[in-house]
């Protein structure tokens, strides 16, 4: 994981974005936030297990499907299975030690 501070690459309203193997943060203080780091590590694992490019294709496809189902961009984003997994487990610092492959599938609706 390579941490980079860039308010220009991180969309407004978000703290960070993970583009394997980089984590871009809006604010450098986030590097010391264990919950933020764990959330982004979960995304790194998701990206690695899907060999990166398929992750992005699935993420974008699911976003557009969720966008049709939900009223706002934020609701659509929060209901993407990859995000649901990361948010549900971001406070569990042991999660990645026991996470099974393709665990994001449990968070699909």
């Amino acid at each position: 994981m390579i941490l980079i501070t860039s308010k220009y690459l991180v969309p407004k309203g978000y703290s960070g974005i993970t583009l394997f193997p980089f984590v871009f943060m809006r604010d450098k203080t986030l590097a010391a936030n264990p919950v933020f780091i764990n959330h982004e590590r979960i995304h790194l694992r998701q990206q690695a297990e899907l060999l990166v490019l398929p992750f992005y294709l699935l993420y974008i496809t699911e976003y557009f499907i969720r966008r049709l189902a939900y009223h706002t961009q934020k609701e659509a984003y929060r209901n993407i299975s990859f995000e649901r997994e990361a948010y549900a487990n971001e406070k569990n610092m042991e999660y990645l030690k026991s996470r099974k492959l393709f665990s994001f599938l449990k968070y699909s609706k």
Side-chain angles (χ1 to χ4, degrees):
M1 173 172 61
I2 302 166
L3 298 171
I4 300 172
T5 304
S6 174
K7 63 182 179 182
Y8 302 108
L9 291 175
V10 179
K12 264 189 181 160
Y14 297 91
S15 301
I17 185 169
T18 300
L19 303 170
F20 192 85
F22 304 100
V23 174
F24 297 94
M25 306 169 291
R26 182 167 286 283
D27 183 337
K28 66 181 177 182
T29 62
L30 290 168
N33 181 328
V35 173
F36 172 81
I37 296 298
N38 198 44
H39 181 102
E40 300 308 327
R41 281 187 176 145
I42 292 169
H43 286 316
L44 285 169
R45 181 73 59 85
Q46 294 165 340
Q47 292 171 18
E49 76 187 4
L50 288 172
L51 305 176
V52 184
L53 185 58
F55 168 86
Y56 296 118
L57 294 173
L58 285 171
Y59 192 101
I60 291 167
T61 301
E62 189 173 351
Y63 171 78
F64 284 116
I65 291 167
R66 301 289 181 218
R67 190 66 175 104
L68 293 172
Y70 294 94
H71 298 290
T72 67
Q73 178 274 330
K74 190 162 190 150
E75 281 182 283
Y77 156 78
R78 288 296 295 248
N79 281 286
I80 296 169
S81 58
F82 300 110
E83 294 299 338
R84 289 169 50 95
E85 178 188 13
Y87 279 111
N89 297 288
E90 67 186 6
K91 292 179 182 171
N92 179 357
M93 300 306 152
E94 303 298 313
Y95 177 68
L96 287 173
K97 291 179 182 174
S98 61
R99 181 185 181 271
K100 293 181 176 25
L101 281 175
F102 307 111
S103 288
F104 67 88
L105 293 172
K106 291 187 262 180
Y107 295 88
S108 296
K109 293 193 212 180

